[in-house]
Structure formats: structure tokens, C-alpha cells
Amino acid sequence: MPDDRDSEVETGPTEDAGKKRDLEAAGLGTDDRREPAPDRGVPDRVALPPGKKVAHGPAAPATGPGRPKKSGTLDGYFKRTDGPEAATAPRDLAAGPATKRRKTNRARPRHTLDISVTSSRDRLVLIADREQLRSRAAAVTFRTFSQYEHEFGHTPTQTELDETCVLISSEVLRSLGTNPERQPSYLTKAELRRRIPVDETLSFKEQERQRDKKFLSLMEKLRLSANAFAAQEKYGALEDFDALYHSTAGPRTRSRFYKDHLRAGELNPDMLALQGDAFVGFYPKLHEGTKNLKTLEAVTDLFGRDSLWLKTDDFNYMTPHAFDRELKPKDSAKKAFATFTGQPYEEDLPKVLVRTKSGLFVSKELYDKQLRDPLKRRDLETDTDRLETLILTANGNSYVQPKTLKWMDENNPRSNGYFDKAIDAAHLPRGLEDTENSPVPPILIRVSADTFRPLGPGEGIPPSADVEHVFLQNQSATGRHTGNFTNLAAHERAAHGRYAKEITAEQQGMVDRWREARSRQASQTIDLEHGGAPGRPDGPGGGKNTTASPSLDGADGNDRGSTAAQRRGLEERSFVHSW
């Protein structure tokens, strides 16, 4: 709670005191009595010389004519008035040091919303340069409120803010009970609204009403309009080619198909960096300072781990650490960077899978290699016209039969002939689109770089399986298996929205048992690290595993389940090694 004690604002405060005053000045905590001092102006394009380390401490005083020296913290834009203090002009560089404010006896006002801010409170909102977005520039300036005022001579109006993309720091969600982040993400208004926590025991309509009320309160505090620009062309999980769009630097994927591409953040560049006091969005493939850097680590070294954000499929910006933590799949940030720069990722999924006589699916590359081996070709279909294949879709989330991919190609003008390109690249014969694969079990898992194994109802997903490598067979409108598969990560991303894809109770049960096994495994690992006995119920998962649950192979008891999973893993490795 903010206190009512009088205080004097000192120059050169400690870090904690500075953070407290940042919060107070934002109008989201208590009050502040600092003199306003505008930030440095933000150039339209920031040069990033390769190899040059960027300083990440407080910005050095700017030089050159018209550049004001930074003195103290910026005045809160949340509580600006029309008086002379709000219109204070930048102090001339030759005017000497600023004088200290005198003590005041006025009581500080109390506020209902208290947000702890770890960085400057003026960085809660970033305003994209609309003209740069519309021209598809290789670098886009994102201004704070104070930088906008310094650049254009006035505080932005709500109308001006609604004409461009506005990003909001995830720090503002702390007051609503969300877990704090070490370094905040920057969210679009639509995503911020979606993340607002509500009482899940309420009806959907009441939850939306509660979410709208909290969102409106936040927007009023931030001096933004309540328009989230969340209207979509299509809702729910997107078909593969609807998920594709073309950015300045090449094709990208999106998880939501918004109507307003600019305001929803679709036109924002691939990455966001903080250079001194300036936020710059850029495409690492195109920008002069980064186009020769081939790894995410190199770009991170250039800016610093807490001064760099990557764009997600729903157009938010996350640090590499948050990218990996929240989006789950291993090396997610590296995969995204590989997409941004057009480089192949070493763990990419095979483009085409071929079914063997034993029921496994292997990559087309492995199939071609083993076809030349007289012993190993016994398990292969040698007549290419009778091959049963699955082809990876353009967004990398699904494996589908050739006939399905052909249908998708014909019914989406944005496909750009993807089916023909995939068939030709894999040297597959024409006519496969006229055939249908024989039935496949409900789940397909990747057991090695080039091998996938179908799992039936009586089998379990290995606890070590990655969420990106577990594929659930899709269902038709009549509940029939289609022979096409979508990975579990994509299902989970869809489940965060209102129109999640349906999965069968059978598949859900297999996934639930897999999660229980992973939780037990994590709990045992933590217990052993701390010298305790394995199998304690108070590990990750909130102590829910107090009783034995069915093991992955149908046996009862934790020990037998783990043994079966380990045995099955050894069998898989042995079989794969024989290839």
C-alpha cells in the first residue's frame, strides 16, 4: 500500500528507491515530485554496428545540438495536467545542473491499482511508428509516451494511439495476481485482455464480463482506449495456409488471423531491442547490424539478455528465456530465430514420412538410404506407387496424407503450390493424392530424428517425449479418425482460446497419463537431488500424486510404470539402432 509520509526527492537515489518513485510517478502507486525531463529523441532508424557491444546501464548524456541531458526520472504521463509544470521545456545543456525540489507537505493520494515496476514506468507502453509499419520498413521505432511527446510536441491522444500498434508491458498484470517475470514481455492489447485472470467457476459470459471490467480499468490507468482490436477473420485453430502470412523478411506463421493487421501487431518486426533509451523493432535478416550474425546467442551478446525480445505467433514480444519457458518446446527461441533468418534448424521435423511394413513411419531420406540395403529393404514397400506417406504442412504443426494436402492446396489461394513443391522435393510419384492410407493408431510419437512410432490405446507415451513430438490423430465432423496428425503443442495453443480442437477421450486419457508420469519423474528427480526418498507426493504438481495412478502400459503402481517405460525406451532405441 502506498504510504502518506512526506519525503524529499534526492538526486542519485538508490536502485530500490528509484523503482519506488518510478511506480509512484506512473499514477499506479503513490505520487512523485520530480521535475519532468524528456527522454532522448528516438531516431527513425538506429544503426547497429556488428560486433559492437551495447551498454545496458543508464544512458549516457546525449550530445549534439538540441539534445537535452537526462536529469532524474520522467514525469508521470498518467497524471499530466495543463499547468506550466506539464509544459516545461527541455533544459538547455549550458544552463547548469538542475536544482533540487523543495519539501512539500501535501499528502500523497492513494490509488486502487498498485503495480510494481522493475524498469522505468514510462516503458509500460510502447507506441509503434505507424508510417514505418505501413511502409514495411526494415526497422521500426517504438516510442514511450515521453519520447512521443518530445518528438511530436504533445502527448498522444487516444485517437492517435488507436491509429497504430500499441504494446503494453506484462508488468501491469502483476496487480491482478499473475506471476511476476524477471524481465517483462510486451503484449498487444488483445493478448493483454486474454491474459487477465478471472474466476473460472463463473459462466463463460460472466467471465467475459469480469475480464472486460478489469481490462477497462487497466486501460484507463494507462490512458489508452478500451478497443483491443481483437476481431478476427477466422476463430479457433487456423488451417495451415490461413496460418501463413508474408512479412517484410519472408513467410511467417500466426496463431490468430486478426482483421486489423497493423493494430493487432502482425506488421511488427521479428525482434525488439532496447538500445540505450530507444526501443527498436527490426528484422535480423535485413538489419545492417545483425544480418551477418548467424546465431541467437550472437544477437543476444550484442544487446544483452534482458534487452532483446522475439516476436511470437500471436504478435507479442518475449525475451529468449521467457520464449522457452512459456512456449514450452525445447529451444523455441532458437527455432524462432532460425525462422527469422531463413536458416535451417538442426532439429527440424522430416518433411515426408513413409510407412514401413512393420508400422513405423520413417523419413523419406532414411527410406531412400535403407532401400539400397538388401537386408533393411525387407521392411520397406518398394513400389513407390503404393507408398503410404504423411507430409508436413507449411506451418510445421501437422502431418497429413497427400490427398488432404492436395485438397488444402486447391482450396487456399495462399498455398502457392505447396503440395507440388513438397511432392517434387521428396521425389514422390504423382497419383499418391488419389490413394488413402490404411488406418493408423490414435497417436504418433517421434522416437528418433528419422523415426516415428504409432501408439495404440493400450500403450503409453514415454515420459521423456517432447510436446512438439507427440502427434494426435485428427477427427472428422462425424468423430472418425482422418489419418492426419497435429502435434500436441498446437492442440494446447488452440486450447487457450474459445474454439479449441476436439480430441477423443481415448487420446485425452493417454495424454493425462503421460503428464502424470512426467510429474512423478520430476518429483523423484527433485527428491533424489535433496537426499529424500523417491516418490514423495509433495513435488511439482501441487502434491496431487498422493496415490498410485495407472502406469503408461496399463499396469498399476509407480514403480512398475517407470520400469515399463524404461523397458519400452530401450526397445525403441535398440530397434532404431538396428536401422
Side-chain angles (χ1 to χ4, degrees):
M1 290 291 294
D3 60 42
D4 294 319
R5 292 176 297 177
D6 297 328
S7 67
E8 181 179 11
V9 178
E10 300 287 341
T11 57
T14 63
E15 183 179 357
D16 289 340
K19 292 176 182 176
K20 183 178 180 181
R21 279 192 291 270
D22 283 344
L23 169 61
E24 294 164 352
L28 301 173
T30 54
D31 201 0
D32 198 347
R33 302 287 176 261
R34 289 184 184 273
E35 288 283 359
D39 276 355
R40 296 183 300 166
V42 181
D44 288 339
R45 187 182 180 95
V46 178
L48 307 175
K52 183 176 180 180
K53 195 86 171 182
V54 179
H56 304 290
T63 59
R67 294 293 190 183
K69 183 182 295 184
K70 186 174 182 180
S71 59
T73 310
L74 299 169
D75 185 40
Y77 56 81
F78 295 108
K79 58 183 185 63
R80 291 189 180 277
T81 65
D82 295 327
E85 201 173 80
T88 303
R91 185 172 53 84
D92 184 70
L93 290 176
T99 57
K100 185 188 301 182
R101 295 281 298 183
R102 299 179 63 183
K103 290 184 178 180
T104 62
N105 295 321
R106 187 171 55 181
R108 294 177 177 175
R110 293 182 180 273
H111 298 274
T112 56
L113 182 61
D114 187 12
I115 299 176
S116 299
V117 185
T118 58
S119 58
S120 171
R121 83 280 182 264
D122 195 44
R123 295 173 182 170
L124 290 177
V125 176
L126 300 182
I127 309 160
D129 189 296
R130 183 185 63 171
E131 296 308 318
Q132 291 174 349
L133 287 180
R134 293 175 66 178
S135 65
R136 302 295 186 98
V140 174
T141 301
F142 286 81
R143 296 179 176 90
T144 65
F145 267 68
S146 296
Q147 289 168 342
Y148 187 102
E149 181 178 7
H150 184 57
E151 182 76 14
F152 300 105
H154 67 278
T155 301
T157 65
Q158 286 192 355
T159 300
E160 290 172 324
L161 292 171
D162 280 351
E163 290 176 346
T164 187
C165 179
V166 172
L167 300 177
I168 304 169
S169 170
S170 59
E171 295 270 354
V172 302
L173 292 173
R174 287 191 178 194
S175 65
L176 302 180
T178 61
N179 292 329
E181 297 174 325
R182 186 174 62 85
Q183 188 68 2
S185 300
Y186 280 98
L187 313 176
T188 63
K189 292 174 76 173
E191 182 64 19
L192 177 73
R193 182 190 175 280
R194 198 163 17 249
R195 290 196 184 192
I196 290 176
V198 294
D199 185 354
E200 296 184 358
T201 63
L202 299 175
S203 67
F204 173 77
K205 190 173 182 179
E206 288 298 320
Q207 287 183 34
E208 288 297 288
R209 196 170 291 156
Q210 188 180 93
R211 184 175 284 110
D212 283 338
K213 183 177 179 180
K214 291 182 178 181
F215 179 72
L216 179 59
S217 176
L218 278 177
M219 293 302 100
E220 288 176 348
K221 288 291 181 181
L222 297 171
R223 297 187 67 176
L224 299 173
S225 77
N227 193 339
F229 302 105
Q232 300 179 41
E233 292 285 355
K234 295 185 178 180
Y235 288 89
L238 298 177
E239 296 295 336
D240 296 289
F241 296 113
D242 284 330
L244 280 177
Y245 71 98
H246 290 277
S247 74
T248 302
R252 299 289 184 266
T253 58
R254 58 191 167 202
S255 60
R256 293 179 175 85
F257 193 170
Y258 291 106
K259 290 184 176 181
D260 195 320
H261 305 307
L262 188 148
R263 294 171 180 83
E266 183 174 303
L267 302 187
N268 292 345
D270 291 332
M271 301 182 78
L272 178 71
L274 174 60
Q275 188 180 25
D277 285 337
F279 285 88
V280 182
F282 65 97
Y283 295 93
K285 182 179 178 180
L286 303 179
H287 204 282
E288 190 64 34
T290 58
K291 65 182 181 181
N292 295 322
L293 301 180
K294 301 301 183 185
T295 64
L296 178 60
E297 289 81 1
V299 179
T300 302
D301 287 343
L302 179 64
F303 293 101
R305 56 181 291 185
D306 293 334
S307 299
L308 186 71
W309 295 262
L310 294 86
K311 184 180 173 184
T312 67
D313 285 351
D314 46 13
F315 315 136
N316 303 308
Y317 284 111
M318 292 182 178
T319 63
H321 176 73
F323 211 101
D324 288 336
R325 184 187 68 248
E326 293 194 24
L327 301 187
K328 303 300 182 186
K330 182 182 179 182
D331 294 332
S332 283
K334 292 182 180 178
K335 291 179 181 179
F337 185 78
T339 300
F340 296 161
T341 55
Q343 302 177 77
Y345 186 72
E346 61 182 12
E347 291 189 8
D348 275 347
L349 292 167
K351 303 300 183 188
V352 176
L353 300 179
V354 180
R355 194 176 193 178
T356 66
K357 293 179 180 178
S358 61
L360 291 176
F361 282 86
V362 299
S363 70
K364 181 59 165 53
E365 291 79 5
L366 183 58
Y367 170 87
D368 290 339
K369 180 180 178 181
Q370 302 304 327
L371 196 61
R372 298 189 292 269
D373 188 310
L375 294 178
K376 294 175 181 177
R377 67 182 295 166
R378 296 175 183 174
D379 191 41
L380 303 177
E381 175 58 67
T382 56
D383 185 353
T384 55
D385 291 329
R386 299 178 60 186
L387 290 180
E388 294 190 12
T389 60
L390 293 173
I391 303 175
L392 188 67
T393 55
N395 65 3
N397 288 334
S398 302
Y399 278 108
V400 300
Q401 298 188 61
K403 70 167 191 174
T404 304
L405 192 63
K406 179 67 173 179
W407 177 86
M408 294 165 62
D409 215 18
E410 293 173 344
N411 287 272
N412 196 311
R414 292 186 295 275
S415 66
N416 297 319
Y418 183 81
F419 171 79
D420 292 330
K421 293 175 183 177
I423 290 291
D424 293 341
H427 305 290
L428 292 171
R430 298 290 172 166
L432 290 180
E433 65 272 19
D434 299 324
T435 64
E436 184 167 354
N437 294 346
S438 54
V440 185
I443 289 182
L444 191 67
I445 63 167
R446 189 183 192 182
V447 295
S448 74
D450 294 291
T451 307
F452 290 68
R453 175 188 170 194
L455 295 179
E459 299 180 276
I461 306 170
S464 59
D466 191 287
V467 67
E468 286 279 357
H469 298 162
V470 177
F471 290 80
L472 308 184
Q473 190 165 175
N474 301 337
Q475 313 301 311
S476 68
T478 59
R480 184 178 64 88
H481 287 312
T482 63
N484 306 314
F485 293 80
T486 299
N487 69 31
L488 181 57
H491 276 281
E492 291 182 340
R493 284 192 289 270
H496 291 302
R498 294 164 51 185
Y499 302 88
K501 278 189 174 181
E502 294 291 336
I503 65 174
T504 66
E506 177 183 72
Q507 291 171 326
Q508 186 65 60
M510 295 173 71
V511 171
D512 289 345
R513 290 193 294 273
W514 169 66
R515 294 202 180 283
E516 291 172 4
R518 286 169 67 91
S519 179
R520 289 196 301 270
Q521 190 177 68
S523 177
Q524 290 172 359
T525 300
I526 291 176
D527 288 334
L528 291 174
E529 287 176 351
H530 291 80
R536 282 172 44 194
D538 55 349
K544 296 180 181 179
N545 298 320
T546 56
T547 58
S549 57
S551 63
L552 294 181
D553 64 345
D556 292 331
N558 295 346
D559 293 339
R560 278 187 289 169
S562 298
T563 304
Q566 294 169 0
R567 183 173 63 252
R568 186 160 49 253
L570 291 173
E571 292 171 354
E572 290 166 357
R573 289 193 291 273
S574 175
F575 185 89
V576 171
H577 182 71
S578 70
W579 276 75

